Amino acid sequence: MCAKPHTPTFDWDDLRSFLAVVRAGRLTAAALQLQIDHSTLSRRIAALEAALQVRLFDRLPTGYLLTAAGERLATEAQAMESVAIRICSDLSEAGRRMTGSIRLATPEGFGTYFLARQLHLFAKRYPEVKVELIANPGAVSLTKRQADIAVTMFRPESGPLRARKLADYEYGLYGSQAYLRTRPQLSILEDAAAHRLIGYIPDLLPTPAHDYLKEIFGNRQADLQISNILTQLSATLDGYGLCVLPCFMADTHPELARVLPQAVCLTRSYWWVTHAEVRAPALVRAMKNFLEEAAARSRPALLPSAGEILADRPADAASPMHAPAKDDLPLP
């Protein structure tokens, strides 16, 4: 009789552990995400390799690097994970109480000055849901399922993602009241030449959309260059000089004054982005709805000049800013 071919068997949890290491790149980081000891995770990876009789990772000092076999398994494992997510969603979502956790990644200004001040309302609505807020969208990858929702300043161009515009928001030029009392008057944009500017370090811009000093002042660079918006705001409050800031942040500080509002009025957009096949559809849908409600409710703070803009338009003028948003198809 011919011997039966060997059929590898393995624990499904080991496959989940494998994907965690693939996405984190390091054993300790993956163990932290899974909330298990790193030695336990190491044993799971070894057990999976033994069951499949193949080496999945090269263990390097810099982290775990997939072998060719590991690359093939990662593709199949992600497909299996998507099927499992879809099954759980279809069979258990109906009638389920809203519990569990949801992780969001947002820009630090949006997370600190907008979302963190709204989340108590979400907690009242869904008291058994734990929210994890990462105020740095670049720290996680949605395609690797390291967060459930990201808020970004741009619509992603590719990947297994869905995106929709959340809100437009406005930037203005601000200085502290104390600073402005001691400096030359600002009547036209050219008067800013006599003032110190605060802005980003040019080669550390978070996104191309953050290069607004060039848009306003041409080739003039900031006198004080800072890599993040919260520290720029702090320097402005302390009277270093003028800074282009989101109005929803700056207007919460009465010690700041907006200058040259006609000359400096920039609009940018926030987008929410999710994986095309989310881990917890009901939770993600609840959070997306909450974000959109909060953005609509806070529109006067996000776009303080919008009332003046609308007043100058014919009543029937169409505006993409106010058009009803629709879910995008998965990105190409």
Side-chain angles (χ1 to χ4, degrees):
M1 293 179 62
C2 296
K4 291 183 179 180
H6 170 70
T7 302
T9 60
F10 55 86
D11 191 318
W12 288 102
D13 279 341
D14 295 345
L15 198 62
R16 178 170 167 260
S17 299
F18 165 75
L19 281 177
V21 177
V22 170
R23 289 162 178 163
R26 300 186 66 87
L27 195 71
T28 51
L32 190 61
Q33 292 175 8
L34 294 173
Q35 298 183 339
I36 61 175
D37 185 82
H38 76 277
S39 59
T40 300
L41 180 56
S42 179
R43 287 194 297 272
R44 289 184 180 178
I45 297 301
L48 182 61
E49 290 180 322
L52 298 176
Q53 299 181 7
V54 68
R55 192 177 80 258
L56 300 171
F57 293 103
D58 288 324
R59 279 76 165 170
L60 304 177
T62 54
Y64 274 44
L65 183 66
L66 281 170
T67 63
E71 292 276 6
R72 291 196 297 273
L73 179 60
T75 299
E76 298 295 336
Q78 287 167 357
M80 293 166 67
E81 180 187 54
S82 294
V83 172
I85 289 172
R86 201 158 51 242
I87 290 172
C88 289
S89 170
D90 292 344
L91 296 182
S92 65
E93 184 176 333
R96 186 175 58 190
R97 186 172 57 184
M98 201 71 75
T99 61
S101 64
I102 185 165
R103 176 177 287 187
L104 295 89
T106 75
E108 61 173 352
F110 180 88
T112 303
Y113 272 82
F114 182 82
L115 186 54
R117 298 179 178 187
Q118 304 277 347
L119 285 175
H120 68 284
L121 301 173
F122 186 85
K124 288 181 180 178
R125 190 180 302 178
Y126 305 108
E128 297 184 46
V129 175
K130 181 177 73 173
V131 177
E132 300 174 358
L133 175 58
I134 302 172
N136 178 4
V140 298
S141 167
L142 281 179
T143 57
K144 295 181 179 180
R145 302 186 190 276
Q146 294 173 341
D148 298 299
I149 300 178
V151 175
T152 68
M153 287 184 64
F154 57 92
R155 182 184 185 274
E157 303 259 335
S158 62
L161 305 171
R162 289 185 181 275
R164 175 165 148 176
K165 185 185 284 191
L166 175 61
D168 293 319
Y169 68 103
E170 184 177 327
Y171 282 87
L173 186 62
Y174 290 85
S176 73
Q177 303 271 12
Y179 168 83
L180 292 170
R181 283 195 295 268
T182 65
R183 305 295 295 182
Q185 185 175 355
L186 288 153
S187 300
I188 58 174
L189 187 61
E190 287 71 18
D191 294 336
H195 291 258
R196 294 190 296 263
L197 288 182
I198 303 165
Y200 283 100
I201 302 171
D203 60 336
L204 294 179
L205 288 169
T207 72
H210 286 80
D211 197 11
Y212 32 69
L213 279 191
K214 184 175 183 180
E215 184 175 339
I216 299 166
F217 297 106
N219 292 327
R220 182 183 173 185
Q221 293 194 349
D223 302 283
L224 175 59
Q225 299 178 354
I226 300 174
S227 63
N228 66 87
I229 194 67
L230 293 187
T231 311
Q232 291 179 27
L233 173 62
S234 180
T236 310
L237 288 165
D238 286 337
Y240 182 90
L242 304 178
C243 187
V244 178
L245 295 166
C247 297
F248 71 87
M249 291 174 54
D251 289 345
T252 64
H253 295 280
E255 59 268 50
L256 293 183
R258 186 173 182 179
V259 297
L260 304 174
Q262 301 299 320
V264 182
C265 183
L266 305 179
T267 301
R268 297 290 189 266
S269 300
Y270 286 126
W271 297 74
W272 62 247
V273 187
T274 68
H275 196 283
E277 295 175 334
V278 295
R279 172 186 60 85
L283 274 177
V284 169
R285 186 161 52 249
M287 179 56 76
K288 287 192 297 188
N289 290 340
F290 175 79
L291 288 172
E292 291 177 354
E293 291 169 11
R297 185 171 58 246
S298 304
R299 190 171 180 280
L302 293 168
L303 280 170
S305 299
E308 300 171 17
I309 295 171
L310 288 176
D312 292 338
R313 284 202 184 115
D316 60 348
S319 170
M321 188 185 305
H322 308 293
K326 296 182 179 179
D327 280 324
D328 290 341
L329 295 174
L331 306 181

